[in-house]
Amino acid sequence: MKQFTQTSFSCIRCSIVVSLLLALSVPAATPSGGAISSTAKSVSWQGHVYAASAVADPTQCPPASLDPAAVCDHFALTVNVEPSYWNTHIGGAEVSITWASSDNDFDLYIYDQNGNLVAASAAGGTTFERTLVPAASGTYDVVVVPFTVVQSGYQGVAQFISQKAAKVPGGGPAAYHGTFVSGPNPNNAPQNKALPLKNQNALVLQMHDIGHDAAEPTLGVDPRGAISYAAAAFDGIGGTAKTTVLRSTDGGLTWQNVSPSVENTEAHPFTLDPYLYVDRVGRVFTIDMLAAGSYLSFTDDQGADWTTTALTVAGANDHQTFVAGVTPIGNPALKPIDPSFPKICYYCVNQVADSWCARSLDGGRTFAQTATPAYLGYDPAAGGFCGGLHGHVKADLDGRIFLPKPHCGLPWLAISSDGGDTWTRVLISNLIGAAGDPSVATDTAGNLYYVWWDNIHHLPYLSISRDHGATWTTPLMFSPPGVYEVNFPAITAGDPGKIAVTFPGTMVNDQSDYTRPWNSYVLVSTNALSSNPVFLSNIANDPNDPIHRGSCTGRCAGMFDFLDIQISPTDGTAWASAVDTCTGDCVTNPNAPANSMRGLATQAINYPILTVPPK
């Protein structure tokens, strides 16, 4: 974000403008103002069109009354609720601006009626800016700065986001500590207790319907803010599916199909497992698994053009995962050869008899199998036959790769510092059993965070390593207060100690109740490395419209095998995927079947976990 100092309203807003400006005969924001409230949820406007403009920062913007030529554009936003409204609700006013091309750059700043800056968004290379004014009340000056703009206008939208604080634990925003478990998996499941929470400090979530079915959806955000999402419904012959790659360039408001094709024909005709990976340099990979290999396509221009290849590990392939990393610290001779993508790609699969990886030095065009498997399917040291089913591979800033696995019912991690040629396998904990896909993440300082759900009570646990996976902390049960069972916990990490996690969870403490509702939870911690971290959690969906009913073990009806959570490199916020299996009659009728798989994407708006450098 552009850095500037605000001294006073009269000084800043009346400062001398230093800009290149050739204003067209197009009026400023139209209309010039509007209102939102708990009953009028949104207002939109058409922004000023600039022939050419370069305004360095908002200190160069005159007040609206002294700016008839729209050196900067102004929209007067009124939020028609009393300040006391936010004593019992969380949320605020979310303001977005969008434009056509990332060659142009608008910035967004919001001031209250006293001239105080209350929110801002000033990324570079994107086609939108978005920010939240928490607990908004009264009138605001929305200032749109044409940082570098040629022949472009913009569209603005303000939305009223409000969620009533739940009186039932687990039914809404919460703050809490976790519970460390130092003995064997207890007969009585631990529960966490809520801390006092001011609504203004609560985690605010915004959920978007992607407009498509999506089982086990993966997603990612590129450096220009474009969100890519793998949407697939397993409704084809033999349980196959087609993956539709969706892209949003306006922060999740709208989605477009950008699936790879060859001469207008689907490049990936079907899949047994969809998967999508977005590298932070911007390359998007989509992988559709076959019985003995996969289709792979990648794009460097947000889906306008794709390169399609094939990749495989010898033998059967299942439950594929993918990551890109730099030259590994333990193998400096292993160097990427594609100058347009200076990273090594890793593709790992379950083969039942083992878990094996392949790597590519040319950006994903060709792959060679690594020297040894990450895990053996039959492992006498771990308890016998463990199979090859694993979680998703991750890489740290030194090129190490990490593959988590519920190995013979316990949480394990395979670590390679030489590009997959050799692996070290570490038991995270022998106290708490593991079910399903565990998840691992690494922060910018190299700390590792491992989450899994136990195989008895189905609660989520966190363990942390500060030495690249050699040793791990005592497991911490971190379920929100009042949540008795979860599935599919997935984690991402940003700055040291800052993490975000997502999972479906239920507030009904009865595993035999086949009508109980489930909600989509997202939580963050900004001090996860402390001795007693604080977590902030919230429900992304409307609690009156659950995402699932009944049992959520295994594949949880149409959710299938896993969910995903990733960080936006443009603003540092977390984006999580979810699947709504409860639509139609299921919403109001607990006995109606839950048989849908609607794809959802949720942003944790007001707690970024990654510091984004100023442009």
Side-chain angles (χ1 to χ4, degrees), residues 15 91 128 162 177 254 310 331 347 369 376 388 393 402 436 451 504-505 510 522 561 607:
S15 60
F128 72 95
S162 172
H177 296 296
T254 60
N331 191 355
Y347 165 79
Q369 195 160 316
L376 295 174
V393 63
F402 307 93
V451 298
D510 182 358
V522 176
D561 289 348
Y607 277 90

Side-chain angles (χ1 to χ4, degrees), residues 403-427:
L403 192 66
K405 185 176 184 292
H407 199 55
C408 277
L410 290 172
W412 285 73
L413 184 68
I415 305 165
S416 179
S417 61
D418 58 9
D421 287 338
T422 61
W423 297 85
T424 299
R425 286 167 283 276
V426 178
L427 175 62

